[in-house]
Amino acid sequence: VSFDNTDNLLSRLDLRGMRYEDAEPLISNYIYDAYYAGLKSVSIIHGFGTGVIRELVQKKVKNNKLVKSYRYGGQNEGGQGATIIEFE
């Protein structure tokens, strides 16, 4: 997901139902766009499913220098079906 106008960037990215190959490039692009749009935190919704997309998100977030911290969502944030990211 890449935006020409970051004012239209949402604070969440929904990857539910996506294939690994389709979701992978979206994650890094979204993190980059969100950071440079000035968002303090975002949510990446990966759902529960088989866990493949959740693991991909965790790997991408862990290795991204723009990310200050990350965690699974709380009870009202999607639980383990979402990853909440905070930026530096």
Side-chain angles (χ1 to χ4, degrees):
V1 176
S2 186
F3 296 88
D4 293 330
N5 181 356
T6 54
D7 291 340
N8 294 328
L9 187 67
L10 297 176
S11 63
R12 71 179 185 279
L13 173 65
D14 192 341
L15 301 174
R16 290 177 292 181
M18 287 194 157
R19 295 170 15 133
Y20 184 100
E21 299 81 17
D22 298 329
E24 186 174 23
L26 296 180
I27 298 166
S28 295
N29 289 342
Y30 177 73
I31 291 171
Y32 179 86
D33 290 346
Y35 177 83
Y36 286 104
L39 297 177
K40 300 294 181 198
S41 67
V42 294
S43 174
I44 298 181
I45 304 166
H46 37 70
F48 298 98
T50 63
V52 172
I53 301 298
R54 178 180 57 236
E55 290 171 9
L56 171 63
V57 169
Q58 295 285 309
K59 181 179 93 174
K60 290 285 197 177
V61 170
K62 179 179 180 179
N63 295 322
N64 193 302
K65 294 178 182 181
L66 301 176
V67 174
K68 177 182 177 183
S69 64
Y70 64 96
R71 61 178 172 79
Y72 287 123
Q75 185 176 5
N76 295 326
E77 299 173 308
Q80 289 192 356
T83 297
I84 310 302
I85 299 167
E86 293 185 26
F87 297 109
E88 293 288 347

